[in-house]
Amino acid sequence: MKTILCMDDEPRMLDLLTLYLAPIYHCKALSSVQEVLDYLDEKHVDLVLLDIMMPEMNGWEVCKEIRKFSDVPIIMLTAKGEHADIVKGLNIGADDYILKPFDEEELLARIHAVLRRTKAKEEIIIFEGLRLDKESFELHFRQEAISLTPKEFSMLTLFLDYQNKVFSREHLITTVWGYDEPIEDRTIDSHVRNLREKLRKSSFPVDDYLQTVWGIGYKWHKPIDRNHFKHKR
């Protein structure tokens, strides 16, 4: 089930959004800017519904802060209907714009449309010169092809899809190989070692990103723009 993060300073609006979304999506309702930024920093979210008129910080400013460290799809919610406001929201990184009051069918249709467009983009992952194509099972770094085994490709896809998430060896075994495969922890270590070596040979600085978390497993480290933490109290 996909997760929708809803931010609004009106409890009644959050309750309404939760009512509309709960049958289809997991809805996380928050009213604090810092809670939103912290949640996005730590958790995976598929889409953000962001109100514009809020007392702590307006939605345009929040959108700018989110875009400093995340490309999660954002739909702006507001009673403002002026053309200039709509253009401003789209120009700073919003993916769509819904005017209040709206009905359930319009909200769900717009969310579905944005998620559909996002899914098409997700078939290709680009990271610091790496280009991973999930459909063609091809990996390139600065136009140079890197040959990976199917398991290595699946493992790298998992790391890039969930950057900064720590994967235990057991999690990697069940996700990449499946529950029924009698795979040992050292098999994971061997595949990670081979993956690192292939990326190093292409001159990609893999040691800056594919990190060992001692006693647990591995993670793909994505440096975070810490400027958004200036709003912490």
Side-chain angles (χ1 to χ4, degrees), residues 72-124:
V72 62
I74 297 173
I75 296 179
M76 310 292 282
L77 301 176
T78 185
K80 282 183 169 290
E82 292 83 357
H83 179 73
D85 291 324
I86 297 176
V87 172
K88 180 177 181 180
L90 296 175
N91 283 339
I92 62 176
D95 295 270
D96 203 351
Y97 207 105
I98 301 180
L99 301 180
K100 299 177 183 177
F102 51 81
D103 61 30
E104 179 181 358
E105 290 185 357
E106 179 189 6
L107 176 67
L108 294 177
R110 287 183 179 272
I111 289 174
H112 181 69
V114 170
L115 289 176
R116 186 173 62 245
R117 294 196 300 266
T118 303
K119 182 179 179 180
K121 295 179 182 178
E122 287 177 348
E123 295 303 322
I124 295 178

Side-chain angles (χ1 to χ4, degrees), residues 44 69 71 121-134 138-141 146 148 151-167 172 175-176 195 199 204-206 208-211 218-223:
H44 172 74
F69 66 98
D71 59 358
K121 295 179 182 178
E122 287 177 348
E123 295 303 322
I124 295 178
I125 303 174
I126 296 176
F127 182 93
E128 300 295 338
L130 279 179
R131 187 179 188 278
L132 183 147
D133 190 324
K134 296 180 184 179
E138 294 179 345
L139 176 68
H140 291 80
F141 178 60
I146 303 173
L148 300 181
K151 299 302 184 186
E152 291 166 354
F153 190 90
S154 296
M155 191 178 293
L156 180 59
T157 300
L158 191 64
F159 286 138
L160 290 175
D161 272 336
Y162 299 96
Q163 296 168 30
N164 286 328
K165 176 180 174 61
V166 178
F167 288 95
L172 290 170
T175 302
V176 177
L195 180 58
L199 290 171
F204 178 77
V206 63
D208 293 339
Y209 304 109
L210 182 47
Q211 300 181 350
Y218 300 94
K219 75 171 183 177
W220 189 275
H221 173 66
K222 177 184 178 182

Side-chain angles (χ1 to χ4, degrees), residues 15-198:
D15 290 342
L16 181 63
L17 289 171
T18 301
L19 178 66
Y20 285 167
L21 299 175
I24 304 174
Y25 304 105
H26 170 62
C27 183
K28 180 66 176 180
L30 297 173
S31 58
S32 162
V33 172
Q34 196 56 55
E35 283 182 326
V36 168
L37 296 177
D38 288 343
Y39 192 88
L40 288 172
D41 190 24
E42 299 169 0
K43 306 286 186 178
H44 172 74
V45 171
D46 295 286
L47 185 142
V48 175
L49 291 176
L50 182 61
D51 185 44
I52 287 184
M53 303 307 293
M54 295 179 293
E56 186 180 355
M57 179 190 296
N58 68 49
W60 294 310
E61 294 173 322
V62 178
C63 183
K64 288 180 181 178
E65 290 299 313
I66 293 174
R67 283 291 174 256
K68 290 180 180 179
F69 66 98
S70 175
D71 59 358
V72 62
I74 297 173
I75 296 179
M76 310 292 282
L77 301 176
T78 185
K80 282 183 169 290
E82 292 83 357
H83 179 73
D85 291 324
I86 297 176
V87 172
K88 180 177 181 180
L90 296 175
N91 283 339
I92 62 176
D95 295 270
D96 203 351
Y97 207 105
I98 301 180
L99 301 180
K100 299 177 183 177
F102 51 81
D103 61 30
E104 179 181 358
E105 290 185 357
E106 179 189 6
L107 176 67
L108 294 177
R110 287 183 179 272
I111 289 174
H112 181 69
V114 170
L115 289 176
R116 186 173 62 245
R117 294 196 300 266
T118 303
K119 182 179 179 180
K121 295 179 182 178
E122 287 177 348
E123 295 303 322
I124 295 178
I125 303 174
I126 296 176
F127 182 93
E128 300 295 338
L130 279 179
R131 187 179 188 278
L132 183 147
D133 190 324
K134 296 180 184 179
E135 287 193 340
S136 64
F137 292 92
E138 294 179 345
L139 176 68
H140 291 80
F141 178 60
R142 295 176 180 170
Q143 309 305 318
E144 177 186 345
I146 303 173
S147 179
L148 300 181
T149 67
K151 299 302 184 186
E152 291 166 354
F153 190 90
S154 296
M155 191 178 293
L156 180 59
T157 300
L158 191 64
F159 286 138
L160 290 175
D161 272 336
Y162 299 96
Q163 296 168 30
N164 286 328
K165 176 180 174 61
V166 178
F167 288 95
S168 67
R169 291 174 175 82
E170 181 180 357
H171 191 158
L172 290 170
I173 289 172
T174 57
T175 302
V176 177
W177 276 265
Y179 287 96
D180 298 329
E181 292 292 330
I183 303 299
E184 298 180 354
D185 287 358
R186 59 186 179 184
T187 301
I188 296 295
D189 297 334
S190 176
H191 277 72
V192 170
R193 184 168 57 250
N194 292 339
L195 180 58
R196 281 174 171 156
E197 183 61 27
K198 290 180 178 181

